[in-house]
């Protein structure tokens, strides 16, 4: 226990303990504050130095700002002067460009006026030419229309001819005449006129449409014109398979009848060749026979009757023409050999005469050479006589002087 201001206080009193703790805490805080102040003072010294350095920098920055303000004023003045100069230059350039533009516009206006005048002139000429061409085209159109009218008339006439042809083909007798006329046209174009006979009568009294006079072998050969049109038209018009078979069979039978008739009438031993030709004046019928009826064609071969169309007939006749030409060449072989012998004698005679002419030419060349030598000597003597050079005549030249009237050669 202790006494404070006449008051006894026990040390274990809670109030005393709390107050002591508070005082101790306050003392501790004061100690810590002093240490922090010392530490802050030590840390504030570099900061103060930095603040002083920063003040110096701010002062230098103010001086630089003053210098910058002066430089900016100078730049502003310079820029103002340059801007004035640029404005003046631009105004002068604009004035020059405006003048040039005015000159060019005036020049372009003159050129446009001239071009417009030329274009108008060309347009006038073009319109004039177009009017002429239009007139010419109209004239040509009228001519073509006239030609079309004429062609229309020809077509109308051709239609009538076709109808006439149909009438001809509808009649067997006329159709036979049509085939004979076509055969006559082909034979007359392929063979000489003396190598065939039309409507020739054979020894059996049968008349052949055409008889080709071929040499033996093979001998004269008959060409008979046949035209099985009805059966072919029926075959072409058939629709069902049964109709096609029936018409095809009828068509083949008709052709076989013609083949048998030709074989019996126009193949005569010792008078004609051992074969004959059946002329079918239709390529379609010829193709149909070879494509769908090969047995009929084989029957014709067996009967020595060869079926020909206009095309194959022309080829066959060309072969016959070669045979006739070869036969005539053989007939003329004796005359050709005689002419060749005479030609050989003429060639020998020509060789002798050429040799004589060559000798004459050689003699003439020698005479000309001698004449040239004499002319050269006479020329030299004439030159010396002209110079009065009598003493320089060589002795051999005196010896070579030829008396008048004698040949130097």
């Amino acid at each position: 226990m202790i006494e404070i201001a006449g008051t006894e206080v026990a040390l274990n009193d809670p109030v005393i303990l709390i107050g002591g703790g508070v005082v101790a805490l306050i003392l501790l805080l004061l100690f810590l504050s002093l240490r922090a102040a010392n530490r802050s003072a030590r840390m504030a010294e570099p900061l103060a130095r930095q603040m002083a350095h920063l003040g110096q920098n701010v002062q230098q920055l103010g001086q630089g700002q003053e210098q910058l303000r002066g430089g900016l004023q100078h730049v502003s003045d310079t820029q103002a002067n340059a801007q004035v100069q640029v404005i003046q230059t631009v105004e002068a350039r604009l004035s020059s460009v405006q003048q040039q533009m005015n000159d060019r516009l005036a020049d372009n206006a003159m050129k446009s006026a001239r071009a417009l005048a030329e274009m108008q002139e060309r347009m006038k000429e073009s319109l004039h030419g177009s009017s002429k061409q239009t007139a010419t085209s109209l004239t040509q159109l009228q001519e073509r229309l006239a030609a079309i009218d004429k062609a229309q008339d020809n077509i109308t006439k051709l239609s009538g001819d076709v109808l006439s042809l149909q009438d001809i083909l509808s009649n067997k007798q006329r159709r036979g005449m049509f085939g004979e006329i076509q055969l006559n046209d082909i034979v007359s174009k392929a063979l000489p006129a003396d190598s065939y006979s039309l409507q020739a009568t054979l020894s059996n009294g049968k008349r052949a449409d055409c008889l080709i006079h071929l040499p033996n072998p093979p001998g004269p050969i008959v060409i008979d014109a046949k035209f099985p049109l009805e059966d072919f038209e029926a075959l072409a018009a058939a629709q069902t398979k049964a109709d096609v078979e029936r018409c095809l069979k009828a068509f083949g039978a008709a052709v076989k009848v013609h083949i048998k008739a030709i074989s019996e009438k126009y193949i005569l031993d010792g008078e004609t060749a051992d074969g004959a030709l059946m002329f079918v004046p239709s390529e379609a019928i010829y193709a149909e026979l070879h494509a769908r009826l090969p047995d009929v064609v084989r029957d014709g071969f067996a009967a020595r009757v060869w079926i020909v169309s206009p095309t194959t007939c022309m080829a066959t006749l060309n072969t016959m023409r070669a045979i006739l030409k070869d036969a005539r060449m053989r007939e003329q072989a004796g005359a050709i050999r005689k002419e060749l012998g005479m030609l050989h004698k003429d060639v020998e005679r020509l060789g002798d005469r050429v040799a004589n002419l060559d000798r004459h030419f050689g003699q003439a060349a020698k005479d000309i050479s001698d004449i040239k030598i004499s002319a050269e000597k006479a020329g030299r003597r004439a030159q010396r006589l002209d110079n009065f050079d009598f003493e320089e005549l060589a002795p051999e030249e005196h010896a070579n002087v030829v008396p008048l009237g004698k040949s130097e050669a």
Side-chain angles (χ1 to χ4, degrees):
M1 183 177 290
I2 61 172
E3 184 179 354
I4 299 175
T7 305
E8 291 181 358
V9 179
L11 292 175
N12 55 357
D13 188 4
V15 176
I16 296 300
L17 292 175
I18 292 171
V22 170
V23 171
L25 180 61
I26 291 172
L27 290 176
L28 180 61
L29 290 175
L30 287 175
F31 178 73
L32 293 174
S33 298
L34 288 175
R35 288 186 63 183
N38 291 329
R39 191 181 295 110
S40 298
R42 288 194 301 272
M43 293 178 64
E45 288 180 0
L47 182 61
R49 289 194 297 272
Q50 290 180 1
M51 290 297 293
H53 183 66
L54 182 61
Q56 293 177 0
N57 291 335
V58 169
Q59 186 177 2
Q60 292 177 359
L61 183 61
Q63 294 176 357
Q65 187 175 5
E66 290 295 331
Q67 292 177 0
L68 180 61
R69 187 181 295 110
L72 290 174
Q73 184 65 32
H74 179 69
V75 169
S76 178
D77 296 340
T78 303
Q79 186 175 5
N81 294 330
Q83 187 174 5
V84 171
Q85 292 179 359
V86 168
I87 292 172
Q88 293 177 355
T89 303
V90 169
E91 289 178 352
R93 184 62 178 170
L94 286 174
S95 177
S96 175
V97 169
Q98 187 175 5
Q99 184 64 32
Q100 292 178 1
M101 288 293 294
N102 292 331
D103 295 339
R104 291 182 179 178
L105 287 174
D107 189 17
N108 290 334
M110 293 177 64
K111 290 181 178 178
S112 298
R114 289 196 299 269
L116 183 60
E118 293 177 357
M119 186 180 294
Q120 290 177 351
E121 187 66 25
R122 287 197 298 269
M123 286 294 292
K124 290 180 181 179
E125 294 177 357
S126 178
L127 289 174
H128 183 64
S130 298
S131 62
K132 287 185 177 179
Q133 292 179 357
T134 303
T136 304
S137 299
L138 289 175
T139 303
Q140 294 177 354
L141 181 60
Q142 292 177 354
E143 294 175 354
R144 290 177 181 175
L145 288 174
I148 291 173
D149 292 337
K150 186 176 180 181
Q152 184 67 32
D153 295 336
N154 293 332
I155 290 173
T156 304
K157 184 178 178 182
L158 182 61
S159 299
D161 294 339
V162 170
L163 292 176
S164 300
L165 180 61
Q166 289 179 353
D167 295 336
I168 291 172
L169 297 179
S170 63
N171 186 288
K172 289 186 177 181
Q173 185 176 2
R174 292 182 179 179
R175 187 167 66 244
M177 294 175 61
F178 173 74
E180 293 173 5
I181 292 172
Q182 190 174 2
L183 176 62
N184 183 15
D185 185 56
I186 294 173
V187 173
S188 62
K189 290 180 180 178
L191 298 178
D194 59 347
S195 62
Y196 64 92
S197 299
L198 299 175
Q199 300 300 320
T201 303
L202 302 178
S203 61
N204 58 1
K206 303 299 181 181
R207 181 175 293 179
D209 293 333
C210 180
L211 180 65
I212 308 298
H213 303 298
L214 293 178
N216 286 316
I221 187 169
V222 175
I223 303 178
D224 187 69
K226 298 298 179 182
F227 202 175
L229 181 64
E230 291 86 355
D231 297 309
F232 178 73
E233 288 181 345
L235 177 61
Q239 298 293 331
T240 63
K241 185 176 180 180
D243 292 339
V244 171
E245 293 292 337
R246 179 177 53 80
C247 294
L248 189 63
K249 185 177 180 181
F251 178 58
V255 175
K256 288 181 179 180
V257 169
H258 290 313
I259 291 174
K260 182 178 179 182
I262 292 172
S263 176
E264 294 175 352
K265 293 179 182 179
Y266 305 123
I267 300 177
L268 304 177
D269 292 335
E271 183 177 354
T272 64
D274 59 349
L277 299 178
M278 186 178 81
F279 176 71
V280 179
S282 173
E283 298 291 346
I285 296 177
Y286 180 81
E288 191 72 21
L289 286 172
H290 284 76
R292 304 177 67 178
L293 295 171
D295 56 332
V296 176
V297 178
R298 286 193 295 268
D299 290 343
F301 288 159
R304 300 190 302 277
V305 176
W306 297 279
I307 303 172
V308 293
S309 66
T311 303
T312 56
C313 182
M314 179 62 73
T316 305
L317 292 176
N318 285 329
T319 304
M320 293 181 181
R321 183 175 60 184
I323 294 173
L324 290 170
K325 184 178 180 181
D326 183 66
R328 293 183 180 181
M329 288 290 292
R330 287 197 302 270
E331 291 175 359
Q332 299 297 327
I336 292 173
R337 285 195 295 270
K338 182 179 178 182
E339 293 294 332
L340 286 174
M342 296 176 64
L343 179 61
H344 180 68
K345 292 180 180 179
D346 291 338
V347 171
E348 288 181 350
R349 191 180 299 111
L350 179 62
D352 295 338
R353 291 176 180 177
V354 168
N356 293 333
L357 183 61
D358 183 62
R359 287 195 297 272
H360 289 309
F361 278 148
Q363 186 64 37
K366 184 175 182 301
D367 294 340
I368 291 172
S369 177
D370 294 340
I371 291 170
K372 288 175 66 177
I373 294 172
S374 299
E376 290 176 356
K377 291 180 178 180
R380 289 198 297 269
R381 289 192 179 92
Q383 185 177 5
R384 291 176 182 175
L385 288 172
D386 185 61
N387 295 328
F388 298 98
D389 192 8
F390 296 102
E391 296 180 356
E392 294 182 1
L393 289 173
E396 62 272 17
E397 291 181 354
H398 286 287
N400 291 332
V401 174
V402 180
L404 186 61
K406 293 185 178 180
S407 174
E408 185 178 359

Short mmCIF file of all heavy atoms in Angstrom, two decimals, residues 49-83:
data_model
loop_
_atom_site.label_atom_id
_atom_site.label_comp_id
_atom_site.label_asym_id
_atom_site.label_seq_id
_atom_site.Cartn_x
_atom_site.Cartn_y
_atom_site.Cartn_z
N ARG A 49 15.66 17.56 -50.72
CA ARG A 49 16.64 17.78 -51.78
C ARG A 49 15.99 17.63 -53.16
O ARG A 49 16.26 18.41 -54.08
CB ARG A 49 17.81 16.79 -51.62
CG ARG A 49 18.70 17.10 -50.41
CD ARG A 49 19.99 16.33 -50.52
NE ARG A 49 19.78 14.89 -50.48
CZ ARG A 49 19.73 14.17 -49.37
NH1 ARG A 49 19.90 14.74 -48.19
NH2 ARG A 49 19.53 12.86 -49.43
N GLN A 50 15.11 16.65 -53.30
CA GLN A 50 14.43 16.47 -54.58
C GLN A 50 13.53 17.66 -54.89
O GLN A 50 13.44 18.11 -56.04
CB GLN A 50 13.59 15.18 -54.55
CG GLN A 50 14.45 13.92 -54.53
CD GLN A 50 13.60 12.67 -54.48
OE1 GLN A 50 12.37 12.75 -54.48
NE2 GLN A 50 14.28 11.52 -54.41
N MET A 51 12.88 18.22 -53.83
CA MET A 51 12.01 19.37 -54.04
C MET A 51 12.83 20.57 -54.48
O MET A 51 12.40 21.35 -55.36
CB MET A 51 11.24 19.70 -52.74
CG MET A 51 10.18 18.66 -52.38
SD MET A 51 8.88 18.55 -53.62
CE MET A 51 8.12 20.15 -53.42
N ALA A 52 14.01 20.72 -53.93
CA ALA A 52 14.88 21.84 -54.34
C ALA A 52 15.31 21.66 -55.79
O ALA A 52 15.29 22.60 -56.60
CB ALA A 52 16.09 21.91 -53.41
N HIS A 53 15.70 20.41 -56.09
CA HIS A 53 16.09 20.12 -57.49
C HIS A 53 14.92 20.33 -58.45
O HIS A 53 15.09 20.86 -59.57
CB HIS A 53 16.60 18.67 -57.57
CG HIS A 53 17.10 18.30 -58.94
ND1 HIS A 53 18.21 18.88 -59.50
CD2 HIS A 53 16.61 17.40 -59.84
CE1 HIS A 53 18.39 18.36 -60.70
NE2 HIS A 53 17.41 17.44 -60.92
N LEU A 54 13.71 19.97 -57.96
CA LEU A 54 12.52 20.16 -58.80
C LEU A 54 12.24 21.64 -58.99
O LEU A 54 11.82 22.06 -60.08
CB LEU A 54 11.33 19.46 -58.11
CG LEU A 54 10.00 19.52 -58.87
CD1 LEU A 54 10.14 18.83 -60.22
CD2 LEU A 54 8.89 18.83 -58.06
N GLY A 55 12.51 22.44 -57.97
CA GLY A 55 12.32 23.90 -58.11
C GLY A 55 13.26 24.44 -59.17
O GLY A 55 12.88 25.31 -59.97
N GLN A 56 14.51 23.97 -59.13
CA GLN A 56 15.46 24.41 -60.16
C GLN A 56 14.97 24.02 -61.56
O GLN A 56 15.05 24.79 -62.52
CB GLN A 56 16.83 23.80 -59.89
CG GLN A 56 17.49 24.32 -58.61
CD GLN A 56 18.82 23.64 -58.34
OE1 GLN A 56 19.24 22.78 -59.12
NE2 GLN A 56 19.49 24.02 -57.22
N ASN A 57 14.45 22.77 -61.64
CA ASN A 57 13.95 22.33 -62.95
C ASN A 57 12.77 23.17 -63.40
O ASN A 57 12.63 23.49 -64.60
CB ASN A 57 13.53 20.86 -62.88
CG ASN A 57 14.75 19.95 -62.72
OD1 ASN A 57 15.86 20.31 -63.10
ND2 ASN A 57 14.53 18.76 -62.13
N VAL A 58 11.89 23.53 -62.43
CA VAL A 58 10.72 24.35 -62.79
C VAL A 58 11.19 25.71 -63.26
O VAL A 58 10.65 26.28 -64.23
CB VAL A 58 9.78 24.47 -61.58
CG1 VAL A 58 8.72 25.52 -61.83
CG2 VAL A 58 9.13 23.12 -61.30
N GLN A 59 12.24 26.23 -62.65
CA GLN A 59 12.77 27.52 -63.09
C GLN A 59 13.35 27.43 -64.50
O GLN A 59 13.10 28.29 -65.34
CB GLN A 59 13.85 27.98 -62.09
CG GLN A 59 14.36 29.40 -62.38
CD GLN A 59 15.39 29.85 -61.34
OE1 GLN A 59 15.73 29.08 -60.43
NE2 GLN A 59 15.86 31.09 -61.48
N GLN A 60 14.10 26.31 -64.73
CA GLN A 60 14.65 26.13 -66.09
C GLN A 60 13.53 25.94 -67.12
O GLN A 60 13.61 26.43 -68.25
CB GLN A 60 15.57 24.90 -66.11
CG GLN A 60 16.85 25.08 -65.31
CD GLN A 60 17.71 23.82 -65.29
OE1 GLN A 60 17.31 22.82 -65.88
NE2 GLN A 60 18.85 23.89 -64.60
N LEU A 61 12.46 25.24 -66.67
CA LEU A 61 11.33 25.05 -67.57
C LEU A 61 10.66 26.38 -67.91
O LEU A 61 10.24 26.61 -69.06
CB LEU A 61 10.32 24.10 -66.93
CG LEU A 61 9.08 23.73 -67.77
CD1 LEU A 61 9.51 23.03 -69.03
CD2 LEU A 61 8.14 22.84 -66.97
N GLY A 62 10.59 27.27 -66.96
CA GLY A 62 10.02 28.60 -67.22
C GLY A 62 10.86 29.35 -68.21
O GLY A 62 10.34 30.02 -69.12
N GLN A 63 12.22 29.25 -68.03
CA GLN A 63 13.09 29.91 -69.00
C GLN A 63 12.92 29.33 -70.41
O GLN A 63 12.85 30.05 -71.39
CB GLN A 63 14.55 29.76 -68.55
CG GLN A 63 14.88 30.50 -67.25
CD GLN A 63 16.31 30.26 -66.78
OE1 GLN A 63 17.03 29.48 -67.43
NE2 GLN A 63 16.70 30.89 -65.66
N GLY A 64 12.81 27.95 -70.49
CA GLY A 64 12.61 27.32 -71.80
C GLY A 64 11.28 27.72 -72.41
O GLY A 64 11.15 27.88 -73.63
N GLN A 65 10.27 27.90 -71.52
CA GLN A 65 8.96 28.31 -72.02
C GLN A 65 9.03 29.70 -72.61
O GLN A 65 8.41 29.98 -73.64
CB GLN A 65 7.94 28.24 -70.89
CG GLN A 65 6.50 28.48 -71.33
CD GLN A 65 5.52 28.28 -70.20
OE1 GLN A 65 5.93 28.06 -69.04
NE2 GLN A 65 4.23 28.35 -70.52
N GLU A 66 9.81 30.59 -71.96
CA GLU A 66 9.99 31.93 -72.53
C GLU A 66 10.68 31.84 -73.88
O GLU A 66 10.28 32.52 -74.85
CB GLU A 66 10.82 32.78 -71.56
CG GLU A 66 10.09 33.17 -70.28
CD GLU A 66 8.90 34.08 -70.56
OE1 GLU A 66 8.96 34.83 -71.57
OE2 GLU A 66 7.91 34.01 -69.81
N GLN A 67 11.72 30.99 -73.96
CA GLN A 67 12.40 30.84 -75.25
C GLN A 67 11.46 30.25 -76.31
O GLN A 67 11.47 30.67 -77.47
CB GLN A 67 13.63 29.93 -75.07
CG GLN A 67 14.73 30.54 -74.22
CD GLN A 67 15.89 29.57 -74.01
OE1 GLN A 67 15.85 28.44 -74.51
NE2 GLN A 67 16.92 30.03 -73.26
N LEU A 68 10.64 29.26 -75.86
CA LEU A 68 9.69 28.66 -76.81
C LEU A 68 8.68 29.68 -77.28
O LEU A 68 8.30 29.68 -78.46
CB LEU A 68 8.99 27.48 -76.13
CG LEU A 68 7.95 26.73 -76.97
CD1 LEU A 68 8.62 26.13 -78.20
CD2 LEU A 68 7.29 25.63 -76.13
N ARG A 69 8.25 30.56 -76.33
CA ARG A 69 7.30 31.60 -76.74
C ARG A 69 7.91 32.50 -77.79
O ARG A 69 7.27 32.85 -78.79
CB ARG A 69 6.87 32.40 -75.50
CG ARG A 69 5.74 33.40 -75.82
CD ARG A 69 5.34 34.21 -74.57
NE ARG A 69 4.75 33.32 -73.57
CZ ARG A 69 5.33 33.00 -72.42
NH1 ARG A 69 6.53 33.48 -72.13
NH2 ARG A 69 4.74 32.21 -71.57
N GLY A 70 9.18 32.82 -77.65
CA GLY A 70 9.85 33.66 -78.65
C GLY A 70 9.98 32.93 -79.98
O GLY A 70 9.77 33.50 -81.05
N GLY A 71 10.38 31.61 -79.89
CA GLY A 71 10.50 30.83 -81.13
C GLY A 71 9.16 30.71 -81.84
O GLY A 71 9.08 30.80 -83.07
N LEU A 72 8.09 30.48 -81.05
CA LEU A 72 6.77 30.39 -81.66
C LEU A 72 6.35 31.69 -82.32
O LEU A 72 5.73 31.68 -83.40
CB LEU A 72 5.73 29.98 -80.61
CG LEU A 72 5.83 28.54 -80.09
CD1 LEU A 72 4.83 28.33 -78.94
CD2 LEU A 72 5.56 27.55 -81.21
N GLN A 73 6.72 32.79 -81.70
CA GLN A 73 6.40 34.08 -82.31
C GLN A 73 7.14 34.24 -83.63
O GLN A 73 6.57 34.71 -84.63
CB GLN A 73 6.79 35.22 -81.34
CG GLN A 73 6.40 36.61 -81.84
CD GLN A 73 4.90 36.79 -81.95
OE1 GLN A 73 4.15 36.21 -81.16
NE2 GLN A 73 4.48 37.56 -82.94
N HIS A 74 8.43 33.80 -83.63
CA HIS A 74 9.21 33.88 -84.87
C HIS A 74 8.64 32.97 -85.96
O HIS A 74 8.50 33.36 -87.13
CB HIS A 74 10.67 33.49 -84.57
CG HIS A 74 11.55 33.53 -85.79
ND1 HIS A 74 11.89 34.71 -86.44
CD2 HIS A 74 12.15 32.52 -86.49
CE1 HIS A 74 12.65 34.42 -87.47
NE2 HIS A 74 12.84 33.08 -87.52
N VAL A 75 8.26 31.73 -85.50
CA VAL A 75 7.67 30.79 -86.47
C VAL A 75 6.35 31.33 -87.01
O VAL A 75 6.04 31.22 -88.20
CB VAL A 75 7.48 29.42 -85.81
CG1 VAL A 75 6.62 28.52 -86.69
CG2 VAL A 75 8.81 28.75 -85.55
N SER A 76 5.56 31.95 -86.11
CA SER A 76 4.28 32.52 -86.55
C SER A 76 4.49 33.62 -87.56
O SER A 76 3.79 33.68 -88.58
CB SER A 76 3.51 33.04 -85.32
OG SER A 76 2.30 33.63 -85.73
N ASP A 77 5.49 34.49 -87.28
CA ASP A 77 5.77 35.55 -88.25
C ASP A 77 6.24 34.97 -89.59
O ASP A 77 5.80 35.41 -90.66
CB ASP A 77 6.84 36.50 -87.67
CG ASP A 77 6.35 37.23 -86.43
OD1 ASP A 77 5.11 37.31 -86.25
OD2 ASP A 77 7.19 37.69 -85.62
N THR A 78 7.15 33.98 -89.46
CA THR A 78 7.66 33.36 -90.71
C THR A 78 6.54 32.69 -91.49
O THR A 78 6.44 32.80 -92.71
CB THR A 78 8.74 32.34 -90.37
OG1 THR A 78 9.79 32.98 -89.60
CG2 THR A 78 9.34 31.73 -91.63
N GLN A 79 5.65 31.97 -90.76
CA GLN A 79 4.53 31.28 -91.41
C GLN A 79 3.58 32.28 -92.06
O GLN A 79 3.06 32.02 -93.15
CB GLN A 79 3.80 30.43 -90.38
CG GLN A 79 2.70 29.56 -90.99
CD GLN A 79 2.07 28.64 -89.97
OE1 GLN A 79 2.40 28.74 -88.79
NE2 GLN A 79 1.18 27.76 -90.43
N ALA A 80 3.37 33.42 -91.38
CA ALA A 80 2.48 34.44 -91.96
C ALA A 80 3.08 34.98 -93.26
O ALA A 80 2.37 35.13 -94.27
CB ALA A 80 2.27 35.57 -90.95
N ASN A 81 4.41 35.24 -93.24
CA ASN A 81 5.06 35.73 -94.46
C ASN A 81 4.99 34.67 -95.58
O ASN A 81 4.70 34.99 -96.74
CB ASN A 81 6.52 36.08 -94.17
CG ASN A 81 6.64 37.27 -93.21
OD1 ASN A 81 5.77 38.15 -93.19
ND2 ASN A 81 7.71 37.29 -92.39
N ALA A 82 5.27 33.39 -95.17
CA ALA A 82 5.22 32.32 -96.18
C ALA A 82 3.81 32.15 -96.73
O ALA A 82 3.60 31.92 -97.93
CB ALA A 82 5.71 31.00 -95.57
N GLN A 83 2.82 32.28 -95.84
CA GLN A 83 1.44 32.15 -96.29
C GLN A 83 1.08 33.25 -97.27
O GLN A 83 0.39 33.01 -98.27
CB GLN A 83 0.51 32.16 -95.08
CG GLN A 83 -0.95 31.86 -95.42
CD GLN A 83 -1.79 31.73 -94.18
OE1 GLN A 83 -1.31 31.97 -93.07
NE2 GLN A 83 -3.06 31.36 -94.36
#
